[in-house]
Amino acid sequence: MSIAVIGSNMVDLISYITRMPEEGETIEAPDFRLGCGGKGANQAIVAARLGSEVVMVTRVGDDLFAENTIRNFAENGIDTTHVLRTEGSSGVAPIFVDQQSHNSIIIVKGANNQLSADDIEAAADRIKECKLIVLQLEIPLETVYAAVAFGKEHGIPVLLNPAPAAPDLVLDRVKSCDFIVPNETELSLLTGMPVESEDDIRNAAAVLLNVGIKNVIVTLGSRGVYWTDGEREEFFAATKVQARDTTGAGDAFIGCFSHVWVKTGDIAKSLEAAGLYAGDSVTRLGTQTSYANAQEFKAKYPEVDL
Ligand code: RIB
């Protein structure tokens, strides 16, 4: 049972800083990590590390990063048949993490900007074998819409993570999604509504349900997760952890949710597992370097059904 991730890959350049520099100022950062990232790739890596078969549909550049990204997918057991090459730069993401573990991310989409609807068609036979299509917004919106339409045409459930927030996302063109998974900021941007209180979140989520999306899952960081399908709803509390680096925690959540949901079809179980998995990831530095494999996660949370 496999998962298709149609999305981005980036090279993360993470500087651990004590503060942001002022304009014209040079400051020293105590630590730095270079690693594989990109929301699509991160979600794919998590699902693969937990045991899913994953096919990645993405584009890398023709620079020194490209080979490493492809090797990283392959080493994690991901099908790289549809990792395509493009002239120019691969995606890169300079990231700054402060001492409170808050991050600021700049993305340079590079080759990700060239991923097209034709690339989805070229991978059609493989994607049709999948039980879930997972999407984010670091590729052109037209490609996202094409992937949503592909899922609908072939009866494959689609999960959309509307990140990073894109004000020009047309909700009507993603209304056939089975899951939309925004964080609070993205929810507010998508709906134009406040998201301060539980009632605010409920009301904003209702806007997405009214468009036609089947399930709305709102990640609320240390406040947990809200889920509704219009008939039922639940707030899931987050486990308390000592956060060191929250970069990629949302991707950890989505990768784990996708893996457990494809395996069990049980949304509550999948949300609980994803919350624990994302919580575990923030206790380690880096993006993909912070993601546990199935064995490591099981050792910490033996009650989770992977
Ligand atoms: O969600 C975290 C990811 O956002 C990073 O890996 C970075 O590459 C950006 O895509």
Side-chain angles (χ1 to χ4, degrees):
M1 293 218 280
S2 44
I3 296 173
V5 179
I6 303 174
S8 61
N9 68 89
M10 304 269 171
V11 174
D12 286 353
L13 307 144
I14 311 181
S15 298
Y16 294 90
I17 57 171
T18 47
R19 65 176 175 84
M20 279 298 217
E22 303 291 334
E23 194 185 328
E25 188 189 22
T26 301
I27 58 166
E28 185 181 342
D31 201 2
F32 172 79
R33 303 278 160 113
L34 173 73
C36 291
K39 295 182 195 304
N42 295 345
Q43 295 167 18
I45 292 284
V46 169
R49 284 193 188 157
L50 292 177
S52 280
E53 264 178 39
V54 180
V55 56
M56 184 79 208
V57 182
T58 192
R59 276 190 178 267
V60 293
D62 62 359
D63 49 17
L64 61 106
F65 295 135
E67 213 42 61
N68 187 52
T69 295
I70 296 175
R71 192 171 46 242
N72 179 55
F73 284 137
E75 282 172 0
N76 281 278
I78 292 173
D79 179 350
T80 60
T81 316
H82 301 285
V83 178
L84 306 166
R85 286 168 191 266
T86 265
E87 255 181 47
S89 161
S90 294
V92 291
I95 299 175
F96 304 93
V97 179
D98 70 16
Q99 289 178 313
Q100 283 72 49
S101 87
H102 300 129
N103 61 52
S104 309
I105 305 181
I106 297 169
I107 56 164
V108 184
K109 290 184 183 170
N112 294 294
N113 249 338
Q114 305 303 320
L115 194 72
S116 69
D118 286 349
D119 298 334
I120 297 174
E121 274 315 311
D125 288 347
R126 182 68 182 91
I127 302 172
K128 280 185 215 162
E129 295 167 359
C130 293
K131 300 289 177 231
L132 181 67
I133 294 173
V134 179
L135 304 167
Q136 322 72 30
L137 301 182
E138 290 180 329
I139 57 173
L141 284 180
E142 282 304 327
T143 312
V144 171
Y145 301 144
V148 173
F150 185 96
K152 185 171 183 213
E153 186 184 345
H154 299 286
I156 307 164
V158 176
L159 180 154
L160 172 63
N161 170 217
D168 40 355
L169 180 77
V170 178
L171 286 177
D172 196 54
R173 297 189 71 184
V174 298
K175 65 183 178 195
S176 60
C177 285
D178 295 73
F179 300 98
I180 189 163
V181 191
N183 64 20
E184 297 134 293
T185 317
E186 291 147 6
L187 177 65
S188 176
L189 195 108
L190 284 175
T191 59
M193 294 174 70
V195 289
E196 299 308 316
S197 66
E198 289 193 355
D199 269 346
D200 288 344
I201 291 165
R202 204 173 265 125
N203 293 336
V207 171
L208 300 180
L209 291 173
N210 288 338
V211 171
I213 298 170
K214 294 192 191 68
N215 292 275
V216 181
I217 297 167
V218 187
T219 54
L220 304 166
S222 57
R223 290 200 287 151
V225 176
Y226 171 71
W227 160 72
T228 179
D229 66 359
E231 282 172 14
R232 297 162 294 169
E233 64 154 21
E234 196 163 339
F235 279 92
F236 295 82
T239 41
K240 292 245 173 306
V241 290
Q242 190 64 48
R244 292 180 72 202
D245 183 351
T246 57
T247 314
D251 302 329
F253 181 91
I254 287 165
C256 181
F257 175 86
S258 301
H259 167 76
V260 180
W261 184 76
V262 165
K263 200 177 158 209
T264 66
D266 185 321
I267 293 178
K269 244 188 199 174
S270 309
L271 290 172
E272 276 160 16
L276 293 174
Y277 188 89
D280 176 60
S281 78
V282 305
T283 63
R284 287 180 289 275
L285 295 185
T287 316
Q288 293 180 15
T289 48
S290 71
Y291 299 155
N293 63 28
Q295 220 180 351
E296 291 159 342
F297 187 46
K298 264 283 195 205
K300 207 158 178 182
Y301 296 106
E303 71 278 15
V304 176
D305 180 12
L306 286 178

